[in-house]
Amino acid sequence: MTLARLVAWMLYRLYRMSYKQICFAFVCVCGFAGIFYYIVIQSASFSVTGKPYVAVNGVVSLTGLLSSISQQQLKMSLDEQRAHTNLEESHHRKSFTHGLKISTNSTYNNAETDTIESLERFTLSRPAKDKLLKHAEHLDEKFLRNDEKSIQRIVDGLDGHQSTQVSEIFRKKGQLQKRFPTIIIVGVKKGGTRALLEMLKLHPQVCACGPEMHFFDRYYFKGLDWYRGKMPLCYENEASVEKTPSYFVTNGVAKDMFAYSKTLHHTLKLLVIVRDPTTRAISDYTQSQYKMLLNKKFPVNRSFEQSALRVAADGSKSVDSQWGAIKIGVYSKHLKRWFRYFTPEQIHVVSGEGLINKPYEEIKMVEKFLNLPSFIKREHFVYNDTKKFYCFDRSLSYKSEVVTPALPLRCLGTTKGRSHVKISEETRKLLRNYFRPFNEELYSMVGRNFGWQ
Ligand code: A3P
C-alpha cells in the first residue's frame, strides 16, 4: 500500500516537473546506476577469458545494468555447474591423466587444454525419441531373426567346441543365457567394424550379436532388460560382444556406458577401430550415395566436395568441420572424452589399415587385450583375389564332432570394400591438412603411429 502511494506520488511529481527537471532526474538516475555498476558489479565480474565485461561505450543504461547482473548470474551458475562436474568427474580424472601416460613414446601432455565443452563440439547428437519409435517394429523383427539364427546354430551344433576332442579350455561351459555385453566395439563407422566383429567371432569364447544394437545412442530409454533381451544366448565362459559404430561419436554415450558398467559391476572392454580419416569420410559418403539409390531416392545431389568444403567470398576453400563425416574423423577429441570415463586398460585402438592388410597380426593384439586364450591362427585368413580382401575360414573354429555342412569361407558382403567416389587432389590435400594435427594427437595418445599422410 505504501509502495503504491510512493509510486503515485512520484508520477504526480513527474507530471508537475518541467522539461529541465526531468532531464536532471534522468542524469542523476544514470549516474547512480553507473556508480553502482562499476563498484558492485564490474569489480566482481570477469569472463572466462579473464577480461572484465565492458559497458556499451561507457553509457550506463538500465538495460546494461540488468544484463550485467544476468551475465553475472549466468557466470555463477556456469561456475556452479563446473564445480559440480568437477566433483562428479574427480574420480574419473585419475584414469584420464593415466590414460595419457600409456603412450610409450609420447610427447603428449596438454590434457587440460580440452574442456568438456570443447570436446563435445565434435560429437553428433542422439536422434529424437519419436523418430526412433517408428522404427521399433522393424528393429524387433531384425533381432527376432537373429535369435532364431543363433538358436539354430546351437541346435545344429555349429557353435562347436562341445566335443571332448577339443582342448578343455575352449569347451563351452555353464548355462546358456542372454548376457549383458562385456566387450563393445564402439566405433568408428566405416573403419572396419564388421570385419573386426567377424574376426572376433572366430574365437570360440566369443559370443557376438550380429545386428547393431544402438542401445546407448538410440534406445537407452528402453532400459537394461531390453538391452540384454536383444543379445544372443551365450555360455558362461564366453565373452558377449556387441558393436555399434556410432557410440564413439555420439554425445553422452561414454557417460551412460560408464554408468552401465558401474551398475552391473562389469569391467567393460572397449574396441575402437580407426582408419585414415580422409579415406573414412570418402567411404562414408560413398555409402550414403548407395543407400539413397537403394531406397530408390536420387543420389544425394551434393557432391563430396560440396559437402566437405566451404567456399569463402574470395573463392578460397576450407574444410567444413561441422559436416558429420568430418566430425567423426577427429578421433583424438572423441577418444579424450572416453578417457574421462574409462582407463587405458579398458580401451584398445585397432588400426583399420592393419586389419585389411595384416589381419592376423592385428587380431592377435585384440585377443591379447581381451585376455582371451590364444586361439586365432594365421590359417584363419585366406586372401580372396576377386574381393581383394581377406576372408575367414570358419571351419577351423567350428570343428566339432557333429557333421556339419562344409562351412564356406566367410567373405564380407558387397557393401564392404566397394570402390569409392573420386575426389580431386586439391580436396584430398585440404582434408589431410585439416586432420593432420588431430592424427598426431591420436598417435601420441595411444603410442602408435598409424601412418596416415
Ligand atoms: P570400404 O567399403 O570403404 O572399403 P565398416 O564395417 O565399419 O562399415 O567398415 C567397412 C570397411 O571395412 C570397408 O570399407 C573395408 O575397407 C574394411 N574392411 C576391413 N577388412 C575387410 C575385409 N576383410 N573385407 C571387406 N572389407 C574390409
Side-chain angles (χ1 to χ4, degrees):
M1 201 54 204
T2 329
L3 187 71
R5 285 179 67 187
L6 184 70
V7 171
W9 177 81
M10 280 174 73
L11 285 174
Y12 174 70
R13 293 301 310 165
L14 204 66
Y15 174 68
R16 304 276 302 169
M17 270 174 166
S18 69
Y19 175 70
K20 278 182 186 170
Q21 281 173 323
I22 289 175
C23 286
F24 178 72
F26 181 73
V27 169
C28 284
V29 168
C30 286
F32 279 121
I35 292 164
F36 179 72
Y37 174 79
Y38 277 106
I39 294 176
V40 181
I41 304 291
Q42 211 184 45
S43 60
S45 59
F46 283 83
S47 69
V48 179
T49 56
K51 289 175 190 149
Y53 293 129
V54 180
V56 186
N57 295 331
V59 179
V60 183
S61 66
L62 201 57
T63 19
L65 191 69
L66 287 174
S67 86
S68 67
I69 291 170
S70 59
Q71 283 185 39
Q72 170 74 1
Q73 281 169 347
L74 183 70
K75 181 189 164 288
M76 278 165 65
S77 78
L78 268 177
D79 283 347
E80 267 169 30
Q81 261 181 34
R82 262 190 215 114
H84 180 74
T85 318
N86 284 345
L87 198 71
E88 195 190 41
E89 295 205 341
S90 60
H91 64 288
H92 307 318
R93 180 72 58 193
K94 203 170 135 238
S95 67
F96 180 40
T97 44
H98 180 42
L100 304 168
K101 281 191 209 135
I102 53 162
S103 327
T104 44
N105 48 2
S106 166
T107 49
Y108 184 77
N109 59 6
N110 59 343
E112 301 307 322
T113 58
D114 288 287
T115 59
I116 301 176
E117 293 84 5
S118 75
L119 293 176
E120 280 178 357
R121 269 191 311 124
F122 296 96
T123 57
L124 306 185
S125 45
R126 288 169 152 144
K129 193 170 154 183
D130 51 332
K131 272 193 186 166
L132 296 171
L133 290 174
K134 279 187 199 156
H135 294 114
E137 263 179 45
H138 168 69
L139 188 83
D140 284 340
E141 276 171 25
K142 197 157 95 177
F143 280 105
L144 206 65
R145 279 200 303 275
N146 187 57
D147 259 4
E148 284 165 3
K149 249 168 54 185
S150 81
I151 292 169
Q152 196 59 49
R153 286 186 69 79
I154 293 165
V155 171
D156 292 347
L158 284 173
D159 66 332
H161 300 282
Q162 299 293 30
S163 162
T164 45
Q165 292 161 13
V166 175
S167 115
E168 172 70 20
I169 192 165
F170 297 117
R171 250 177 263 155
K172 313 270 184 187
K173 290 190 187 99
Q175 296 250 311
L176 256 178
Q177 261 178 25
K178 285 183 175 264
R179 297 172 194 279
F180 283 110
T182 52
I183 299 169
I184 305 182
I185 301 176
V186 293
V188 299
K189 185 183 177 194
K190 303 318 290 169
T193 52
R194 177 58 60 186
L196 178 60
L197 189 76
E198 288 302 318
M199 289 181 199
L200 275 178
K201 276 161 75 176
L202 295 171
H203 198 288
Q205 280 177 359
V206 167
C207 174
C209 178
E212 290 173 7
M213 301 284 282
H214 288 285
F215 174 63
F216 291 99
D217 64 330
R218 296 185 189 168
Y219 301 103
Y220 200 58
F221 62 91
K222 289 196 174 249
L224 286 175
D225 284 341
W226 180 91
Y227 190 32
R228 184 172 42 192
K230 297 292 176 235
M231 287 300 290
L233 293 162
C234 302
Y235 290 93
E236 217 165 287
N237 63 336
E238 286 179 315
S240 54
V241 187
E242 76 120 326
K243 81 131 180 142
T244 304
S246 42
Y247 285 163
F248 191 57
V249 295
T250 307
N251 201 329
V253 167
K255 193 175 179 184
D256 288 343
M257 207 179 274
F258 174 74
Y260 157 78
S261 71
K262 287 282 150 208
T263 312
L264 298 166
H265 307 291
H266 270 167
T267 305
L268 268 185
K269 293 260 183 174
L270 309 177
L271 295 169
V272 191
I273 176 161
V274 292
R275 178 186 188 187
D276 181 342
T278 304
T279 320
R280 199 219 65 81
I282 301 168
S283 171
D284 203 343
Y285 176 83
T286 308
Q287 170 161 291
S288 64
Q289 287 264 348
Y290 273 93
K291 273 195 178 160
M292 299 286 271
L293 274 175
L294 204 71
N295 296 334
K296 300 202 171 54
K297 290 180 189 161
F298 290 109
V300 259
N301 50 15
R302 280 166 71 83
S303 70
F304 181 85
E305 268 86 357
Q306 283 169 332
S307 311
L309 303 180
R310 265 193 304 233
V311 187
D314 63 357
S316 62
K317 290 176 183 171
S318 62
V319 171
D320 184 354
S321 59
Q322 290 310 300
W323 187 37
I326 300 293
K327 274 185 170 183
I328 296 175
V330 184
Y331 307 135
S332 62
K333 300 295 174 199
H334 297 298
L335 195 60
K336 275 187 194 176
R337 278 186 304 105
W338 285 83
F339 273 142
R340 286 185 179 272
Y341 298 96
F342 296 94
T343 66
E345 288 77 25
Q346 288 179 277
I347 306 181
H348 177 72
V349 183
V350 180
S351 157
E353 287 80 8
L355 206 78
I356 294 174
N357 302 315
K358 292 184 169 185
Y360 171 73
E361 284 77 2
E362 204 62 46
I363 204 71
K364 286 312 269 185
M365 285 191 247
V366 177
E367 200 181 56
K368 195 165 164 214
F369 164 75
L370 298 174
N371 290 327
L372 291 169
S374 173
F375 177 85
I376 300 177
K377 300 168 196 62
R378 204 175 277 281
E379 300 79 67
H380 271 108
F381 304 97
V382 181
Y383 189 75
N384 184 305
D385 268 325
T386 324
K387 183 139 179 89
K388 304 271 182 262
F389 281 95
Y390 280 92
C391 298
F392 321 120
D393 187 350
R394 293 185 297 178
S395 70
L396 294 172
S397 292
Y398 300 106
K399 217 181 265 169
S400 74
E401 60 197 12
V402 183
V403 182
T404 60
L407 283 161
L409 275 185
R410 165 89 168 104
C411 297
L412 296 195
T414 48
T415 59
K416 309 290 174 186
R418 53 191 157 200
S419 27
H420 293 169
V421 294
K422 300 272 174 290
I423 69 162
S424 72
E425 217 25 66
E426 185 202 4
T427 308
R428 198 178 288 275
K429 207 169 148 192
L430 280 168
L431 289 174
R432 292 222 153 109
N433 288 343
Y434 173 78
F435 284 123
R436 190 163 297 115
F438 300 114
N439 293 345
E440 299 287 342
E441 191 172 45
L442 177 78
Y443 301 165
S444 298
M445 286 173 79
V446 301
R448 183 174 179 187
N449 185 331
F450 294 105
W452 304 321
Q453 284 173 14

